[in-house]
Amino acid sequence: MLDNLFLLWNAPVLSVQLLVDGILIGAIFALAAYGMALVWGVMDIINIAQGEFVMLGGYVTFFLATAGVHPLYTVPLAAAALYCLGWGLYRLVVFRIVDQDMFISILATFGISISLQQLANELFQADVRTAESGLGSFFLADGLVVVSQIKVVAFFSALALGAGLFLFLKTSRLGRAIRATAQNARAARIMGIDTDRVFATTFALNAAICGAAGSLVVMTWLIHPYLGLAYTLRSFMIVTVAGLGNMGGVAFASLGLGAAENFAGFILGTEYQAAFVFSLLVVILMWRNLRLGRQRKHLK
Amino acid sequence: MTMATRTVLPYLLIGLLGLIAPYAAPAFRVQLALLWMMILFALTWDLGGGQMGYNSFGNVLFFGIGCYVPAVIQRDVFFRVEEYTFLGSAPPAVKYFAGFTLGLALAVGVAAVVAAVVGSGILGLRGHYFAICTLGVSVAAGEIASGWDYIGAGSGMVAPIFPGPPGQAGLFFYYVLFVLTVICFFTLKWLYGTRFGLAINAIRDDEDKAEAMGLHTTRYKIVAWCVAAVFLAPAGGAFGHLNNFIDRDVAFPGATVGVWMVLMAVLGGKGTLWGPVVGATIFHVTQELFWTYFLHWQRVALGLLIVVIVVFFPLGIMGWLRERWPEKFGETVDPVTLGESR
């Protein structure tokens, strides 16, 4: 561990590589986290199946790419497929848990997550998959920093998707209805908004964003049936740090998490990278609790 | 039949059944041992989740500690590595049981300390933050275990071979888990009747009010978590030795057993004493059926089962019975107060 730290100290260009890679992956985390914040804010549901949507989006791209379609063109298809899945899941299960206790919604979406994960494991096998984009790499700083072009493309696609969603929520009629429902579902219903349809759209949109994110993941990294939980917990962590409804915060926290994760993977060794992510979640929640506790004492 | 016999009789019957079961069905010894373990899981989960309102997905942490500690003790204190791998002869029984007992005792200690330390950090969290945080704890523990060379990292650890004829191990660990679960049941039954039980119920119903009434809520929460840890750790020790192989997936199955604990308690009816027992029994038997008839698809079915139970049957069996026949549970509905509240 110390050796790796010294290595970073002696060769600062390695840090640049880690930072760039981390920030590029962070944009994809931001997509999933934004979806989670949307569902959480509008429907008051924490969707544990978030990571499974990412994973399934990845499989859509993987299978289309194996069939000969260029993976970059499959991003909207993955989003569309997951939109349908999200809509279906809402009509089947999720609408029953919207008004329920948060614990019930966590457990129910956990059940959905387990089902989807095991279904993927049965249908698609447990192998690690990736889709070749056929793009090359940029060589910076005399070839010491290598940035693969697909990661850059994925980064900007993620930004574009995020911006598109932001604009949709700000300007379109349906987007305004979604925001109104988030503010006060009951008042929105009185004003004539069909909140059930708003919820369905929100959940489906979330699934679509995650599907697009998964499609980018399979092109830049890899997917397998069991990667869902990590994305769910990352999203939760990002939303908790940024605060619900803070879009800029989500973006910054995601990029920061991507970078931190990469540095931790390098310093602690890749076998501890996942451990770092989950421990960070626990530490962040503890820290948040301490901070809130201090505020509460301050009040009296 | 007097009142006393009517209350004692069910316990006697179940106890007797538990004692003779491994001889009545010797082929299912391990399954029966696991049944008691599942009941213990559900009972200890319900202490936090049902009675105190703190829904934890992280209780497998203590189970995992319980798996690893005795195995490490056996390896480092009692046996040399060669004796593990030498399959020809079983190790001396005295050494095995001494190591196992010491390991269990240490596991209980370590788990209690970890529960107190981790608990004091995260038990201040409320609601879904607590639930997700405990999920993070259990997954993080698994990841650390799979990277830590001292406890075998990804390739896992092996417990020494059980001394005695094959099949004997199942019998021994059956009784270990049976006795442990019975002790756990009566400890919890006693606890729920004390001031402590009232305090944790108060925390579940309204934590802020409980605090305002002068309860040290955090202390109660930590103690409750420690009690769960103290029972889960030896269960883990017994399971680790019974399974003979311990790795991340055996010791920290956060996304499987960690969720089943919750499901079993919810199925039986959380917040009741008998609910977890009933839920765990039904769940374990059903799960064994799924294993047999739905080969490979059982996990998909389990996920669906969770959804169905949680969405359509959140009260659980005991909860439903209680709502149906409240008078059988000693609840009296006074018509006057009922009229006033309307």
Side-chain angles (χ1 to χ4, degrees):
Chain A
M1 192 181 126
L2 278 179
D3 296 347
N4 292 333
L5 267 178
F6 281 127
L7 200 59
L8 272 187
W9 179 255
N10 291 329
V13 74
L14 276 176
S15 305
V16 177
Q17 172 83 62
L18 290 172
L19 192 66
V20 169
D21 270 347
I23 285 177
L24 292 181
I25 197 180
I28 299 181
F29 296 166
L31 278 185
Y34 192 32
M36 176 174 266
L38 190 66
V39 167
W40 190 348
V42 176
M43 306 166 73
D44 208 19
I45 284 177
I46 293 172
N47 179 26
I48 305 285
Q50 197 80 352
E52 271 64 32
F53 292 159
V54 173
M55 177 263 294
L56 288 177
Y59 274 107
V60 172
T61 291
F62 169 76
F63 284 114
L64 286 173
T66 349
V69 187
H70 190 279
L72 270 178
Y73 298 142
T74 64
V75 178
L77 294 175
L82 265 289
Y83 188 92
C84 300
L85 178 75
W87 186 280
L89 277 176
Y90 178 82
R91 287 285 170 227
L92 270 177
V93 180
V94 180
F95 81 95
R96 296 176 205 276
I97 59 174
V98 171
D99 298 327
Q100 303 258 21
D101 187 31
M102 185 67 107
F103 169 66
I104 288 184
S105 68
I106 287 183
L107 206 51
T109 48
F110 213 136
I112 296 176
S113 137
I114 292 175
S115 286
L116 291 178
Q117 170 194 335
Q118 295 300 331
L119 213 58
N121 187 30
E122 287 308 316
L123 297 176
F124 313 141
Q125 316 304 328
D127 304 331
V128 169
R129 313 277 196 178
T130 178
E132 268 312 316
S133 59
L135 295 180
S137 295
F138 295 120
F139 295 92
L140 310 173
D142 297 332
L144 284 172
V145 176
V146 184
V147 182
S148 62
Q149 284 166 5
I150 183 64
K151 286 187 185 172
V152 178
V153 173
F155 178 80
F156 284 108
S157 317
L159 282 193
L161 276 168
L165 192 69
F166 183 73
L167 281 179
F168 167 75
L169 286 177
K170 277 280 176 223
T171 56
S172 77
R173 207 178 152 73
L174 188 58
R176 278 207 297 259
I178 289 177
R179 286 189 295 135
T181 312
Q183 277 179 9
N184 190 335
R186 204 164 154 200
R189 218 170 295 140
I190 293 169
M191 302 309 250
I193 292 172
D194 183 355
T195 47
D196 187 51
R197 214 184 111 227
V198 166
F199 287 151
T201 316
T202 309
F203 199 76
L205 258 182
N206 166 43
I209 306 164
C210 290
S215 176
L216 298 175
V217 168
V218 75
M219 278 185 272
T220 45
W221 288 275
L222 45 86
I223 53 159
H224 55 86
Y226 293 99
L227 100 178
L229 195 57
Y231 278 88
T232 305
L233 291 182
R234 274 185 195 122
S235 307
F236 184 83
M237 177 168 21
I238 290 165
V239 176
T240 308
V241 169
L244 212 52
N246 180 355
M247 169 108 186
V250 166
F252 273 110
S254 312
L255 301 187
L257 176 66
E261 214 175 276
N262 251 5
F263 274 101
F266 184 80
I267 294 169
L268 303 173
T270 38
E271 71 268 29
Y272 283 120
Q273 188 167 341
F276 169 78
V277 177
F278 301 124
S279 309
L280 189 66
L281 167 73
V282 176
V283 170
I284 282 176
L285 287 174
M286 280 186 187
W287 170 72
R288 179 183 175 277
N289 187 42
L290 270 180
R291 213 188 43 176
L292 289 181
R294 204 171 294 146
Q295 275 173 0
R296 205 159 52 150
K297 282 198 192 92
H298 188 68
L299 277 179
K300 41 172 205 201
Chain B
M1 207 165 15
T2 61
M3 200 61 202
T5 41
R6 265 177 66 181
T7 35
V8 174
L9 203 64
Y11 296 112
L12 279 180
L13 271 178
I14 294 174
L16 204 65
L17 212 63
L19 279 177
I20 59 167
Y23 288 101
F28 295 105
R29 269 174 196 169
V30 175
Q31 302 311 329
L32 289 167
L34 294 185
L35 171 63
W36 289 108
M37 192 172 79
M38 289 290 177
I39 293 175
L40 186 130
F41 283 168
L43 279 170
T44 50
W45 184 85
D46 197 57
L47 172 63
Q51 300 283 349
M52 198 167 69
Y54 270 71
N55 304 301
S56 160
F57 289 100
N59 284 6
V60 282
L61 172 68
F62 310 124
F63 176 75
I65 289 172
C67 280
Y68 273 112
V69 172
V72 169
I73 293 293
Q74 294 276 32
R75 183 192 65 185
D76 289 357
V77 184
F78 288 89
F79 289 92
R80 293 193 315 274
V81 176
E82 307 90 85
E83 287 176 280
Y84 272 84
T85 44
F86 186 62
L87 286 165
S89 70
V94 179
K95 214 157 117 182
Y96 181 90
F97 290 118
F100 182 62
T101 318
L102 180 69
L104 280 198
L106 269 175
V108 169
V110 173
V113 170
V114 170
V117 172
V118 177
S120 61
I122 67 172
L123 277 164
L125 297 165
R126 301 270 177 99
H128 48 281
Y129 286 103
F130 179 77
I132 307 268
C133 189
T134 50
L135 184 60
V137 167
S138 69
V139 185
E143 291 294 337
I144 290 170
S146 74
W148 192 5
D149 285 325
Y150 177 65
I151 54 170
S155 48
M157 282 186 80
V158 191
I161 306 142
F162 189 81
Q168 222 39 21
L171 198 64
F172 174 70
F173 289 113
Y174 172 86
Y175 282 116
V176 170
L177 287 166
F178 170 62
V179 170
L180 198 63
T181 307
V182 169
I183 295 174
C184 175
F185 179 87
F186 284 106
T187 310
L188 292 184
K189 185 177 157 62
W190 166 73
L191 264 182
Y192 294 159
T194 60
R195 190 185 150 78
F196 178 84
L198 290 175
I200 59 173
N201 283 354
I203 290 171
R204 173 189 61 192
D205 295 339
D206 193 327
E207 192 169 343
D208 291 324
K209 276 194 194 117
E211 214 165 6
M213 296 296 282
L215 286 180
H216 290 279
T217 49
T218 316
R219 264 184 236 166
Y220 279 104
K221 288 186 279 185
I222 293 172
V223 171
W225 232 34
C226 287
V227 172
V230 159
F231 285 108
L232 280 168
F239 181 72
H241 271 58
L242 170 64
N243 197 41
N244 228 325
F245 173 71
I246 302 152
D247 72 349
R248 185 229 336 232
D249 295 333
V250 174
F252 298 106
T256 51
V257 180
V259 187
W260 298 349
M261 287 182 189
V262 189
L263 180 68
M264 290 185 294
V266 172
L267 172 65
K270 61 178 193 159
T272 58
L273 181 64
W274 279 100
V277 180
V278 175
T281 312
I282 294 176
F283 176 81
H284 188 65
V285 173
T286 337
Q287 195 207 8
E288 292 302 322
L289 292 180
F290 277 134
W291 274 108
T292 326
Y293 296 112
F294 288 85
L295 207 59
H296 296 306
W297 292 93
Q298 75 274 27
R299 293 275 166 82
V300 183
L302 269 172
L304 296 177
L305 193 70
I306 294 175
V307 175
V308 169
I309 288 171
V310 169
V311 172
F312 294 102
F313 208 51
L315 278 182
I317 295 163
M318 294 306 277
W320 179 77
L321 289 176
R322 190 174 192 153
E323 198 170 65
R324 188 81 180 71
W325 292 284
E327 66 278 5
K328 296 258 180 203
F329 289 81
E331 287 176 13
T332 47
V333 184
D334 185 5
V336 179
T337 48
L338 196 70
E340 272 173 6
S341 67
R342 275 179 195 156

